[in-house]
Amino acid sequence: MAKEVKAGLEEGGCEVILCRAPELLSREILDKMHAPPTDLSIPECCVADLAEADGIMFGIATRFGMANAQLKSLWDSTGSLWQEGALAGKPAAIFVSTATQGGGQETTALTWVTQLTHHGMLFVPLGYTTPLLFNMDELHGGSPYGAGTFAGTDGSRQPTELEKKIAHHQGTYFAGIASALKAGNNTRE
């Protein structure tokens, strides 16, 4: 999903830095959860990375209907950015992965919006900006809050072509908004 969002962002003219939250769990626990191996080609994100970005799209692996502990731990370390207002006015969006249809794609989005709100960030929902979300011919993740996929209870399900197209569209859509906000901010300098 992240690679499709990234491709959409780049198609929209954005420079993209893909990073991941630091892992908190042991490999033994991750194996029991059927988590894929860590992609070491994707660097760990740090708080300074967030402050440097013109916009942020959060890919959230959902746990029990909300953001996973790894992302929440990274976000909980942003107190200094909050005090400085370093993220205020920056656009933000989410895309999610859950194990099942009832796994909390929308609740994850709703609970993450509270995190963005405390920083004064601008939530950019996907909305129904693509007719792909209306597809009733196949099972797929995603909602007006953001693109999504279902991983399956054993983590074996990969995003479908439809889910990838929705994710790509969300990247392109977000790129347009982030670019417009950045251009507007540059006119005031």
Side-chain angles (χ1 to χ4, degrees):
M1 294 290 290
K3 291 176 182 175
E4 289 299 325
V5 168
K6 181 179 186 278
L9 286 163
E10 290 172 339
E11 183 178 302
C14 290
E15 177 185 338
V16 181
I17 298 171
L18 192 62
C19 62
R20 60 185 167 83
E23 185 55 68
L24 304 175
L25 302 174
S26 70
R27 188 71 244 169
E28 178 185 5
I29 298 297
L30 292 168
D31 288 343
K32 289 178 181 179
M33 295 171 64
H34 306 286
T38 301
D39 184 347
L40 298 177
S41 69
I42 301 171
E44 286 187 354
C45 187
C46 67
V47 171
D49 296 329
L50 300 171
E52 294 298 317
D54 292 323
I56 304 170
M57 290 192 72
F58 296 91
I60 305 176
T62 299
R63 296 289 183 268
F64 305 110
M66 48 198 280
N68 61 50
Q70 294 86 337
L71 182 57
K72 188 67 171 75
S73 179
L74 174 66
W75 197 252
D76 285 347
S77 67
T78 62
S80 61
L81 299 181
W82 168 73
Q83 283 186 310
E84 298 165 7
L87 301 178
K90 290 183 187 240
I94 72 155
F95 56 99
V96 298
S97 173
T98 56
T100 62
Q101 285 177 287
Q105 293 200 2
E106 291 186 347
T107 59
T108 299
L110 289 169
T111 57
W112 198 252
V113 168
T114 63
Q115 310 298 308
L116 304 176
T117 299
H118 280 269
H119 277 278
M121 298 182 80
L122 308 173
F123 178 55
V124 180
L126 175 59
Y128 284 97
T129 59
T130 174
L132 297 172
L133 280 177
F134 292 106
N135 184 312
M136 296 295 289
D137 296 331
E138 65 180 87
L139 175 73
H140 66 88
S143 74
Y145 297 99
T149 190
F150 305 117
T153 57
D154 66 355
S156 65
R157 184 180 180 276
Q158 295 298 304
T160 66
E161 287 306 310
L162 176 60
E163 291 168 334
K164 290 177 182 180
K165 288 177 183 176
I166 293 169
H168 187 96
H169 169 78
Q170 186 179 10
T172 305
Y173 177 72
F174 184 83
I177 291 172
S179 297
L181 285 169
K182 182 179 179 183
N185 284 337
N186 287 341
T187 61
R188 287 184 236 142
E189 292 177 356

